[in-house]
Amino acid sequence: MTDTSADLVILGGGSGGYACAFRAAELGLSVTLIEKDKLGGTCLHRGCIPTKALLHAAEVADSARESSQFGVKASLEGIDIDGVNSYKDGIVSKLHKGLQGLAKAHKVNYVEGAGTLVDANTVEVDGTRYTGTNVVLATGSYSKTLPGLEFGGRIIASEQALNLDYVPEKVVVLGGGVIGVEFASVWRSFGAEVNIVEALPHLVPNEDEYCSKQLERAFRKRGIKFSTGVKFTGAEQTDDGVTVNLENGETIDADLLLVAVGRGPNTAGHGYEEAGVALERGFVRTDERLRTNLPGVYAVGDIVPGLQLAHRGFQQGVFIAEDIAGLNPPVIDEAGIPRVTYSNPEVASVGLTESAAREQYDKVETFTYDLAGNGKSQILKTAGAAKIVRAADGPVLGLHLIGDRVGELISEAQLIYNWEALPEDVAPLVHAHPTQSEALGEAHLALAGKPLHVHG
């Protein structure tokens, strides 16, 4: 490989881009990886990792506040936001250094700068053209807003929310999806008054309706207010606060308005259209093997229609590297990608929701196992459930979990779904006691016709 020529040129160093680079290098391909910001992308620096660090700090705050129920005498003196940010930033810095070391170890030619796609084989950075036999587009996403609602002042996106140097007293969160409910959960644990506004009928509307309703119930108990099925109509801000207006005539006053209405594909300004890449609503159109309409050009991650998840982009990056190397990897099943919302309580799922399953199958069965019957969940004092959706006399089609720490159960859940397991296949498996994983075992026992710790 020369400095400007490689087997593979990747535009974007986020989860999808760097995974593709590292796997391709392992397979003997020469790689140029171009990133205008920092290796690791949004997930590491402005998304998944720092957000989950805040959520863990929030969990620690709740544990101190509620310690008496466990017979422990402790108190919460307050939130040291500088200390929280130092903890968060330290994690990000350590992981960033680790990625930089891996890039060097894989002998990836890492180029810092904004890249522009010139043609199917060329990306230009600061006047230098880098050519590749194949090119991968991996430019990620950005925080969206609504028409007429501009970021600035007291109207912020998640990127600004991550770096606040104070805990707001009152916050309105516009959007009840994953990002919205996670920040709402953090701020409530830190002592803020929180009000979520969601235009669709439920919070986390992409999840199974049962989990959405259970999350809403838990949020009510925590004192998190929310308005669902109502549209935002405008916001006015002053030096002292922001007023949010809803279509039902209601107004909400707060210190901050967090706009969490989703993320858009970061495809503008990179030369995609000019080079002939087919776009649809800003997303890059690909086939099931992530190939664009241009020969030798692939796309990965948030710019490809579907779930905007770091681990989806990561796996797509690995897939593309192996595909280019001739390993013919199997196509990724989008429904088989696990989804976790790290609020308190957590929501985790994989596969089809009950409503989606009923649209695709003539007969569907479900079973919901209440965590009240699970010993470890009682030890943790968490409410919740494991809901299983299956085709009648057929495989498991979806698994939906809600409760503290249920995100850790999603690995077994995705194996069950992706291997098209029957409940009868899972029922004989031994689940360690006491663990929350027993909830999955109990649910499958019930669906296999031999319920044990089930009431009613």
Side-chain angles (χ1 to χ4, degrees):
M1 179 183 76
T2 66
D3 287 343
T4 59
S5 179
D7 296 321
L8 182 59
V9 174
I10 302 169
L11 180 54
S15 300
Y18 80 71
C20 186
F22 294 174
R23 183 64 179 131
E26 288 175 353
L27 294 170
L29 300 177
S30 55
V31 181
T32 294
L33 178 62
I34 300 165
E35 170 56 51
K36 68 178 182 179
D37 191 5
K38 294 180 179 179
L39 187 61
T42 295
C43 175
L44 175 55
H45 298 283
R46 298 174 299 281
C48 322
I49 297 300
T51 305
K52 277 55 183 182
L54 289 184
L55 283 157
H56 182 64
E59 181 183 359
V60 172
D62 288 334
S63 295
R65 185 184 290 115
E66 300 163 3
S67 63
S68 61
Q69 65 180 316
F70 301 100
V72 176
K73 293 182 179 180
S75 62
L76 179 64
E77 294 183 6
I79 303 299
D80 173 11
I81 197 64
D82 290 337
V84 170
N85 285 332
S86 177
Y87 153 71
K88 164 180 64 70
D89 296 342
I91 294 169
V92 171
S93 178
K94 184 176 182 179
L95 291 174
H96 181 218
K97 289 178 181 177
L99 275 182
Q100 290 174 312
L102 286 170
K104 291 180 180 179
H106 284 97
K107 298 181 179 178
V108 169
N109 180 30
Y110 182 63
V111 177
E112 294 185 13
T116 301
L117 183 68
V118 177
D119 56 42
N121 300 103
T122 310
V123 176
E124 184 174 313
V125 182
D126 296 329
T128 300
R129 294 194 170 189
Y130 298 88
T131 60
T133 306
N134 293 278
V135 171
V136 176
L137 310 178
T139 44
S141 60
Y142 64 92
S143 291
K144 292 198 301 184
T145 186
L146 299 178
L149 182 63
E150 296 183 0
F151 293 120
R154 295 179 179 274
I155 300 174
I156 64 174
S158 59
E159 291 86 350
Q160 291 78 50
L162 281 169
N163 293 309
L164 290 178
D165 58 3
Y166 66 99
V167 177
E169 292 185 11
K170 296 181 179 180
V171 187
V172 174
V173 177
L174 181 57
V178 174
I179 295 172
V181 301
E182 287 187 349
F183 274 101
S185 190
V186 167
W187 280 325
R188 184 57 184 157
S189 295
F190 284 176
E193 293 182 26
V194 183
N195 202 322
I196 305 171
V197 177
E198 170 56 54
L200 293 175
H202 293 289
L203 299 182
V204 288
N206 292 329
E207 295 295 338
D208 189 88
E209 187 173 321
Y210 174 85
C211 287
S212 294
K213 289 181 177 179
Q214 292 298 308
L215 181 66
E216 291 169 0
R217 181 181 179 184
F219 271 20
R220 288 191 193 98
K221 289 183 177 180
R222 293 188 60 196
I224 297 174
K225 300 176 182 178
F226 55 89
S227 301
T228 56
V230 61
K231 293 182 179 179
F232 163 92
T233 57
E236 298 88 33
Q237 59 175 315
T238 66
D239 292 339
D240 299 322
V242 59
T243 299
V244 176
N245 305 306
L246 307 182
E247 65 175 353
N248 61 5
E250 182 182 357
T251 61
I252 309 171
D253 295 322
D255 301 317
L256 290 175
L257 169 60
L258 170 65
V259 182
V261 294
R263 297 185 64 82
N266 186 14
T267 53
H270 299 294
Y272 293 175
E273 283 190 283
E274 294 81 354
V277 175
L279 302 178
E280 184 174 349
R281 295 180 296 108
F283 290 93
V284 177
R285 291 172 53 186
T286 71
D287 63 12
E288 63 180 5
R289 302 196 74 80
L290 302 173
R291 297 172 294 202
T292 72
N293 60 303
L294 297 184
V297 179
Y298 295 74
V300 60
D302 288 358
I303 61 173
V304 178
L307 297 168
Q308 291 180 312
L309 299 170
H311 47 279
R312 172 184 180 250
F314 184 95
Q315 191 60 33
Q316 287 179 335
V318 172
F319 171 90
I320 289 172
E322 294 182 350
D323 200 55
I324 290 172
L327 300 184
N328 194 32
V331 170
I332 298 169
D333 176 8
E334 290 276 319
I337 298 172
R339 310 174 292 273
V340 183
T341 301
Y342 295 87
S343 52
N344 175 15
E346 292 183 351
V347 179
S349 60
V350 66
L352 303 179
T353 63
E354 180 180 350
S355 61
R358 293 193 184 281
E359 290 176 2
Q360 297 182 33
Y361 293 83
D362 293 334
K363 293 183 179 180
V364 171
E365 297 176 2
T366 69
F367 182 81
T368 302
Y369 180 79
D370 196 315
L371 293 186
N374 178 259
K376 185 59 179 287
S377 296
Q378 291 306 298
I379 291 168
L380 296 174
K381 287 188 176 292
T382 181
K387 177 179 177 179
I388 313 298
V389 180
R390 72 172 297 191
D393 300 321
V396 173
L397 303 174
L399 302 96
H400 307 278
L401 309 162
I402 182 166
D404 291 351
R405 305 187 186 182
V406 296
E408 301 300 328
L409 304 182
I410 204 62
S411 296
E412 180 182 358
Q414 73 160 322
L415 291 176
I416 292 169
Y417 170 81
N418 284 293
W419 284 345
E420 300 181 343
L422 298 170
E424 293 79 8
D425 297 327
V426 181
L429 300 179
V430 179
H431 292 81
H433 176 75
T435 63
Q436 287 183 292
S437 70
E438 290 177 282
L440 288 174
E442 292 283 353
H444 286 86
L445 279 167
L447 280 173
K450 40 187 176 182
L452 292 181
H453 293 93
V454 177
H455 298 277

